[in-house]
Amino acid sequence: MKMIIDKQTFEKVVFAAASANVYVFDAIQDRFEQAEHKLFGTVLGSDTDVDTLPVKEDVCRYICLDAFYQAIPGLDLILTDTGFGIVNNQNISPASRDRVESLRVQIQREADYALDCIIEGMTGDDAWSSSVCARLVISSLYYTGAHVRDFAGRPTAIRTDLLELRSQISEAEEYIRREISAVLFDHLLEQIRHKSLAEAEIPLVCSLRRAIGFWINKQLPAFRVELANVVNLLERCPDDFPAYKDSDAYKVKHFEYYKNEKEDTCYFWG
């Protein structure tokens, strides 16, 4: 699992850390390990071989960015006998708190982009797509910041924003599950993980993501209309969506009540 990151690679990813000496690079060695453990433990799987990854460059990029992001607050601090102080350097003045925070925001944004690229790049990988990590990472139709940007009308949103909206997204998806069946919803997620959505399923997923976007923005009438359009599509072409046609939701909607016929041995009249 161990990824080797040298000073040149690190500074190529994080321009702000470029330095003639090795102070910054040496100072965050532990952060590299922490970022790697977090990524592999929650997204890629602890047993994944780095050398076989189709997203190795994005993994390296994420680890560098996340390690630097976590280390920024303490890079210029030293502990003295009178408390913490800023590293003494007669040639460079300490940056303002606003500028440091601005740098952290930018690094966080780039790390989020890198993580989204990793997740998208792993879809379709047979081993990963069938793993527990894949089911946890892609347990929603919104699993990258791009979905918030493209379908919820928030052009600057990143993965951090996605996590903040998770409860609202879950609410919307619970309504969706009731309408289209949990069986179909879970089937779509499985197809997404394996990058194998059928041609008819692609516009269906886009419509569902639009509906979630309406819910996020509290446009409930638009949410209901979009969801009704989805259900109408499923009802018009059930053969294109066998997971829906075989579901209990479909059977309930098409349940045929018993009809009393004259030829029946127990015919009733009144």
Side-chain angles (χ1 to χ4, degrees), residues 72-252:
I72 286 175
L75 283 176
D76 63 341
L77 296 179
I78 57 172
L79 181 61
T80 70
D81 55 356
T82 58
F84 283 98
I86 295 177
V87 174
N88 184 24
N89 188 320
Q90 296 178 353
N91 300 318
I92 302 176
S93 301
S96 68
R97 178 176 296 183
D98 288 343
R99 294 192 66 179
V100 172
E101 184 57 29
S102 178
L103 174 62
R104 289 198 86 206
V105 169
Q106 180 59 33
I107 295 297
Q108 177 69 72
R109 178 173 292 275
E110 293 182 19
D112 277 1
Y113 284 141
L115 185 53
D116 282 351
C117 287
I118 290 169
I119 294 170
E120 287 287 12
M122 292 303 295
T123 58
D125 180 89
D126 289 340
W128 184 82
S129 298
S130 301
S131 69
V132 173
C133 280
R135 290 195 294 273
L136 292 175
V137 172
I138 304 181
S139 59
S140 163
L141 294 177
Y142 273 45
Y143 57 89
T144 71
H147 297 136
V148 181
R149 295 194 297 273
D150 295 343
F151 296 98
R154 304 193 181 189
T156 62
I158 56 176
R159 188 167 192 82
T160 302
D161 300 301
L162 169 67
L163 299 180
E164 291 175 355
L165 292 168
R166 179 55 66 200
S167 62
Q168 294 182 52
I169 294 169
S170 296
E171 287 177 351
E173 291 185 332
E174 184 57 34
Y175 278 99
I176 289 171
R177 281 177 175 273
R178 295 175 191 171
E179 290 297 320
I180 72 171
S181 82
V183 173
L184 176 58
F185 190 88
D186 291 339
H187 166 79
L188 293 174
L189 292 180
E190 189 70 12
Q191 295 296 91
I192 289 171
R193 294 183 201 113
H194 286 85
K195 208 170 186 177
S196 57
L197 283 170
E199 185 176 350
E201 293 171 340
I202 295 174
L204 179 68
V205 169
C206 288
S207 291
L208 292 174
R209 285 175 176 158
R210 278 197 299 271
I212 295 170
F214 289 135
W215 181 277
I216 289 172
N217 290 299
K218 303 188 186 308
Q219 296 174 292
L220 299 187
F223 170 78
R224 295 189 187 97
V225 169
E226 191 70 39
L227 190 52
N229 290 338
V230 167
V231 173
N232 289 337
L233 172 63
L234 295 174
E235 289 293 316
R236 283 198 311 271
C237 310
D239 292 334
D240 290 339
F241 308 98
Y244 173 70
K245 191 174 182 180
D246 294 337
S247 71
D248 290 338
Y250 180 85
K251 293 174 183 177
V252 168

